[in-house]
Amino acid sequence: MEPCLHPVSQHEQPLPTRRNDLLARLSPQTVYDLAIVGGGATGLGLALDAASRGYRVVLVESDDFAKGTSSRSTKLVHGGVRYLAQGNIALVREALHERSTLLRNAPHIAQPLPFVMPLYAWWEKPFYGVGLKAYDALAGKSGLGATVFLSRQETERCLPSVQMAGLRGGVKYWDGQFNDAKLALALARSAALRGALLLNHMRATRLRYADERVCGLQAEDALTGETHTIEARCVVNATGVWVDALRAQDGAQQRMVAPSQGVHMVVDKKFLPGHAGLMIPKTADGRVLFAVPWLGQVILGTTDTPRDDLAREPLAFEEEIDFILQESARYLRYPPKRSDVKSIWVGLRPLVKPPQDEGNNTKALSREHTVVVSRSGLVTVTGGKWTTYRAMAQEVLDRCVDSGLLASRGPAQTEDMPLVGADAGANAASDAAARVSMSEPEGVHSYGSEQVWLGQLPGTQNWLTPSLSEAMVRFAARYEYALRLEDVLARRSRLLFLDAQRAAEIAPEVGQILASETGIDPDVPGFLKLAAQYTLA
């Protein structure tokens, strides 16, 4: 069995992620307990859970960790206020508990954030106020701050750019905010410290069978074309909206997922100054609208539009762009225009319809996600949201045990497990009002306790842009699995998601630094083409 390094000191030197060293561990003679396909929130959370219980784990991701939906969220760690209105108390209670757990285990990546709901109609105060007070009650000791009613003037102080015409007041409540791609990397690296082998840019091409039971998979290195055989006692399909491709190989006849896309646009912080987010629970067409301060900019979104294809880089529809800008104009005194958009990005969400005839078939307790075990033993999980990733992973692994695919190795260990970079002494939920760093630009503070190691790398004073230094690029290559330019500028740094034009401007210099570290072509032309898709010019 591969060494399990738990418990992990939060101040150990980071574990290197050199590609050749990782590939050298991928031996066809090794039989893994668990092979995970998909490096998003669910797959990475599962890898950490399994490795911390002592299972031998390998995870393969066809592109980069969190390349898909998991890096394109609205950046909220929340209990789901809208589910409360639907009467789904159990789901809200679970999510509020997991919100508290995430804020505690990754305080350098996730912090509490106040939200203000401006009120324009007489009935909104009692209607939404009662719901949010119930939200507080469900949170209990996990609450981040009390819901309070605001006068017209207090609402303007919290939201200096709010539309004042017709404003009656507001209600302020608390939820959480995080850097989704940064959390994905923290999960991957925390799992690696506990013995898991994780490989990005490694595509699962087909399943392997013995006696009509899944016993592993074939994978192809996206960088070299080399194929690898992976033997495993249990295979989990955690590929998000793309789960049906692997299920089809396993003989599934029904589609499990219908994708829906959510569009987000980023504008300058001047459009929403301050540290509070703006939340509109019901827009003109019944959707929810957020304006959220994030990493020195403001995110506007989101939409919920069905689509038939599964593009890796889906594009926004013109009507979605118009919708966000028009609705923003209703609630912001100085509404942004198309020319103000610094970056636009789209994520696909899985709308799940669990198949009815799949052998040993199980739904998760939460209707937000679904777990299915096929007749051949392939385990598929999809749906859910970032906030409950840990609970989902725990449920999937427990299902693998209950189905006889894995032997039990005790309960989950992840509820009180600080992730890489966390200061074990921090109390993230103790002083909600003081913790607003997610609203500030990226910087060395986002590395948490690993700042000391970042400071020892070459280029600490060579700032390529105010939020990215040469040392950060080297850190991404040495310790964060970064191989391509997109890996660095989209997910180790969030510059592509914050200012696509600026990301394109520094791409050649970042590419040179990355290539000097990895010896691999960083694909600068490919990134420049991608960056053009993130603009409205």
Side-chain angles (χ1 to χ4, degrees):
M1 177 177 172
E2 295 184 17
C4 178
L5 304 181
H6 181 70
V8 177
S9 166
Q10 298 303 305
H11 299 287
E12 285 183 351
Q13 182 172 358
L15 190 67
T17 58
R18 297 182 184 89
R19 182 72 168 185
N20 289 340
D21 294 342
L22 297 175
L23 292 173
R25 293 173 53 193
L26 193 59
S27 168
Q29 281 73 47
T30 300
V31 178
Y32 293 92
D33 296 309
L34 183 64
I36 303 166
V37 184
T42 306
L44 294 170
L46 179 58
L48 177 57
D49 190 334
S52 65
R53 297 197 208 189
Y55 293 104
R56 182 175 294 182
V57 178
V58 61
L59 180 149
V60 295
E61 160 58 45
S62 62
D63 201 288
D64 185 30
F65 302 128
K67 158 72 175 182
T69 307
S70 294
S71 64
R72 300 158 191 264
S73 72
T74 313
K75 321 306 178 192
L76 303 182
V77 184
H78 62 106
V81 174
R82 69 182 183 275
Y83 303 125
L84 195 61
Q86 299 167 2
N88 200 333
I89 304 300
L91 175 60
V92 176
R93 184 180 285 114
E94 176 191 58
L96 288 169
H97 174 78
E98 291 301 317
R99 180 187 71 177
S100 177
T101 300
L102 176 52
L103 294 178
R104 182 178 66 250
N105 287 338
H108 58 308
I109 298 173
Q111 292 91 33
L113 181 74
F115 285 84
V116 174
M117 187 185 300
L119 307 176
Y120 294 90
W122 66 268
W123 57 267
E124 290 179 316
K125 181 176 180 179
F127 183 80
Y128 294 121
V130 168
L132 289 170
K133 288 290 187 181
Y135 196 58
D136 288 353
L138 283 173
K141 294 181 180 180
S142 298
L144 305 177
T147 293
V148 295
F149 295 105
L150 306 176
S151 68
R152 192 171 185 270
Q153 291 71 31
E154 289 170 331
T155 302
E156 185 180 19
R157 281 198 291 270
C158 289
L159 300 173
S161 60
V162 70
Q163 177 58 256
M164 296 298 291
L167 182 70
R168 292 171 175 262
V171 57
K172 182 175 79 170
Y173 71 99
W174 289 87
D175 250 325
Q177 185 182 46
F178 76 132
N179 185 334
D180 48 11
K182 190 80 171 178
L183 179 59
L185 264 293
L187 291 173
R189 298 176 62 218
S190 298
L193 282 169
R194 289 160 179 85
L197 174 60
L198 301 100
L199 289 157
N200 55 350
H201 301 285
M202 181 69 71
R203 183 171 67 93
T205 54
R206 67 179 180 88
L207 297 167
R208 292 174 54 81
Y209 293 85
D211 298 324
E212 299 184 343
R213 302 287 292 178
V214 173
C215 65
L217 52 91
Q218 290 286 118
E220 180 181 277
D221 190 328
L223 304 178
T224 66
E226 185 179 357
T227 60
H228 299 269
T229 299
I230 298 173
E231 301 289 344
R233 295 181 175 87
C234 178
V235 176
V236 174
N237 175 12
T239 53
V241 293
W242 295 277
V243 293
D244 285 320
L246 205 58
R247 291 181 67 253
Q249 288 189 30
D250 193 48
Q253 300 296 315
Q254 296 173 292
R255 287 181 60 184
M256 191 171 173
V257 170
S260 172
Q261 77 175 22
V263 174
H264 300 83
M265 297 192 295
V266 173
V267 296
D268 193 273
K269 187 157 175 68
K270 68 182 182 182
F271 291 101
L272 187 71
H275 295 299
L278 181 150
M279 189 271 217
I280 303 300
K282 193 171 184 180
T283 58
D285 66 350
R287 305 182 205 179
V288 175
L289 177 73
F290 286 100
V292 185
W294 187 67
L295 300 181
Q297 308 284 16
V298 172
I299 298 174
L300 303 174
T302 179
T303 60
D304 187 5
T305 309
R307 61 180 301 157
D308 297 326
D309 63 315
L310 292 169
R312 281 288 184 172
E313 285 290 345
L315 300 178
F317 299 122
E318 283 297 318
E319 55 266 31
E320 293 177 303
I321 297 170
D322 292 340
F323 165 77
I324 292 175
L325 292 176
Q326 289 168 5
E327 289 298 311
S328 298
R330 294 180 62 193
Y331 300 101
L332 297 177
R333 210 176 312 166
Y334 309 106
K337 303 178 180 64
R338 288 179 67 103
S339 57
D340 295 311
V341 176
K342 293 189 169 187
S343 184
I344 180 168
W345 31 277
V346 182
L348 296 180
R349 307 185 192 98
L351 300 180
V352 184
K353 286 189 64 176
Q356 300 302 310
D357 183 21
E358 282 283 330
N360 183 15
N361 213 1
T362 59
K363 284 187 188 179
L365 291 178
S366 165
R367 69 176 184 172
E368 283 294 281
H369 64 273
T370 298
V371 183
V372 171
V373 183
S374 75
R375 291 185 177 87
S376 71
L378 176 67
V379 180
T380 296
V381 55
T382 191
K385 60 182 180 179
W386 252 118
T387 305
T388 54
Y389 84 87
R390 194 201 65 83
M392 287 171 57
Q394 180 177 324
E395 182 182 339
V396 173
L397 192 54
D398 289 345
R399 187 63 59 189
C400 294
V401 173
D402 293 343
S403 300
L405 298 169
L406 292 175
S408 176
R409 292 194 178 172
Q413 307 292 315
T414 53
E415 185 159 2
D416 295 301
M417 181 181 291
L419 301 181
V420 163
D423 182 346
N427 185 0
S430 63
D431 186 5
R435 302 186 66 86
V436 294
S437 61
M438 274 294 101
S439 300
E440 304 302 324
E442 291 182 282
V444 295
H445 62 277
S446 64
Y447 289 78
S449 62
E450 293 189 310
Q451 293 179 49
V452 62
W453 301 106
L454 177 69
Q456 295 180 17
L457 296 179
T460 55
Q461 300 305 315
N462 180 19
W463 290 92
L464 311 172
T465 194
S467 62
L468 182 66
S469 70
E470 175 188 336
M472 292 176 180
V473 179
R474 297 190 185 280
F475 191 95
R478 296 184 189 187
Y479 306 121
E480 294 184 316
Y481 297 90
L483 298 170
R484 298 291 199 192
L485 184 55
E486 182 192 338
D487 300 349
V488 175
L489 290 178
R491 288 170 290 277
R492 290 9 172 232
S493 160
R494 306 313 307 275
L495 189 58
L496 177 64
F497 283 70
L498 294 165
D499 189 337
Q501 181 176 341
R502 183 60 183 145
E505 290 170 354
I506 68 168
E509 187 174 3
V510 174
Q512 288 181 350
I513 298 167
L514 183 61
S516 72
E517 288 284 339
T518 65
I520 295 171
D521 178 7
D523 190 17
V524 175
F527 178 79
L528 293 176
K529 181 178 179 181
L530 175 66
Q533 297 181 23
Y534 280 63
T535 68
L536 286 180

